[in-house]
Amino acid sequence: MSSTPSAPLHLAVALDGTGWHPASWREEVARPRDLFTAGYWADLVAEAEHGLLDFVTIEDGLGPQSSHFLEPDDRTDQVRGRLDAVLVAARIAPLTRHIGLVPTAVVTHTEPFHLSKAVATLDYVSGGRAGVRVQVSARPADAAHFGRRTVPRVDDYEGPAARELVGDLFDEAADYVEVVRRLWDSWEDGAEIRDAATGRFIDRDKLHYIDFESRHFHVRGPSITPRPPQGQPVITALAHQTVPYQLVARQADIGYVTPHDPDQARAVLAEIRAEQQAAGRSDEPVHVFADLVVLLDEDQTAAEARRDRLDTAAGEPYTSDARIFAGTPAQLADLLEEFQAAGLTGFRLRPAVLGHDLPAITRGLVPELQRRGLFRHTYEAGTLRGLLGLPRPANRYATRPHGDGPPPAPAAREASRTATA
């Protein structure tokens, strides 16, 4: 597209069932009978690693998929049911060598202590390639699965009740991630001595209580799992508006956003960077990726015809929060360059039909980006943070004198919490 070389971009794929189009499971290349097998997911991630992608995300939820935003449906013509994303990632990790594994975890109704050790374990099993996509749930039916609290049904998404509910859910999510991060730091690097001769396995002075207290959580710590290989596995989150942008700015390493054109991308980026500065993180690298649903074929007519066929099978046109692209790998590369020029550092592609569009990404789009000098030719780091150019964070407790307790939350973070509550 342009003659001026651009910086290399980052590329991820979002894995969900047989693909993001609800009729994807009816395509000949789909494998619906294999959907709940380990081999199915291993094959998908192997293909993504073949394409040198930075990482894959794996979708999850606390209730069955639904065509309705806040409640279950009674459809039988679409994929329903999922395996646990963190467990799938842990099963696949030993079968891969380079690619990052980022399962989705719903942080509403679940406990940060459990997630912290699960993702820390994934980081150990993968040799430092773990991340997590944190997600909230506003569905009353999801809350009913746990019985610990109720979530009111809100039909007016723009009304004050909806704003209060969303603000509270994302404020809770920010505290949740803070607890997880502190638990990962509750063991200093090198806390395990493992000296059989002296009989000392750990240095107890290098384990720390986190003593986190907020409106949402009271967590003592320390973790039961030593500090992960990356120090802090990569935190990611999808965001569509100001309150979720604040979560990205306060706690994430990567934010996924859904602009439909470069101008919208610039506006979203400006808002996230402003929130990042308000949260006291302006000196920390935070990637912002655009999400795109993709249908890729050798010519645009074929891609558009395939989209029409899928829509006909589904009984209605497919719509998405993200932009839907139907065209060739070269045309998609052009679009990615336009978005990159707006300031985005990467992209999370949602294949409409995994059996078709994932290989089209790895064997069509990736070579096109490589020809343009926009994508790697080999994996250049052994950890996910390394692939993303993110430094390994220092342990927040290691530099403090023992007995001083945890560091106080920054004032900016407290102010941000109040603003989103």
Side-chain angles (χ1 to χ4, degrees), residues 57-192:
T57 62
I58 304 170
E59 296 300 299
D60 207 341
L62 297 180
Q65 301 94 317
S66 176
S67 57
H68 303 312
F69 181 60
L70 288 176
E71 60 189 11
D73 63 16
D74 57 2
R75 299 190 70 153
T76 60
D77 62 334
Q78 297 178 0
V79 170
R80 294 294 182 264
R82 287 189 172 109
L83 301 180
D84 183 275
V86 175
L87 294 179
V88 168
R91 175 64 180 84
I92 292 168
L95 307 178
T96 57
R97 295 181 59 194
H98 305 287
I99 195 166
L101 302 168
V102 182
T104 295
V106 181
V107 299
T108 312
H109 312 299
T110 62
E111 295 296 332
F113 190 91
H114 294 150
L115 184 65
S116 72
K117 67 187 184 71
V119 176
T121 300
L122 177 60
D123 209 39
Y124 275 102
V125 172
S126 65
R129 294 181 284 120
V132 64
R133 181 174 87 87
V134 296
Q135 181 179 340
V136 304
S137 171
R139 292 184 174 186
D142 289 359
H145 290 156
F146 296 84
R148 295 179 179 178
R149 71 200 238 196
T150 59
V151 173
R153 178 180 174 85
V154 178
D155 293 311
D156 181 7
Y157 300 145
E158 302 300 325
R163 287 196 296 271
E164 181 179 1
L165 174 62
V166 169
D168 188 60
L169 289 174
F170 278 94
D171 182 58
E172 178 185 50
D175 278 358
Y176 189 113
V177 175
E178 181 67 14
V179 172
V180 168
R181 287 193 180 278
R182 292 189 183 208
L183 286 168
W184 285 337
D185 278 352
S186 65
W187 289 53
E188 294 184 31
D189 295 319
E192 317 95 77

Side-chain angles (χ1 to χ4, degrees), residues 347-398:
F347 301 89
R348 187 177 71 138
L349 304 180
R350 308 178 187 177
V353 180
L354 278 166
H356 181 111
D357 295 302
L358 177 56
I361 291 168
T362 58
R363 301 165 191 264
L365 175 65
V366 165
E368 178 64 29
L369 294 173
Q370 289 171 332
R371 282 193 289 271
R372 302 183 187 202
L374 291 173
F375 200 65
R376 64 172 62 91
H377 288 268
T378 186
Y379 281 109
E380 66 276 5
T383 68
L384 180 54
R385 295 189 74 92
L387 291 177
L388 295 167
L390 300 173
R392 188 178 190 276
N395 189 307
R396 73 189 68 200
Y397 300 112

Side-chain angles (χ1 to χ4, degrees), residues 40-60:
Y40 174 80
W41 296 94
D43 289 346
L44 292 176
V45 179
E47 181 62 37
E49 189 170 58
H50 171 82
L52 306 176
L53 304 187
D54 290 75
F55 61 91
V56 298
T57 62
I58 304 170
E59 296 300 299
D60 207 341

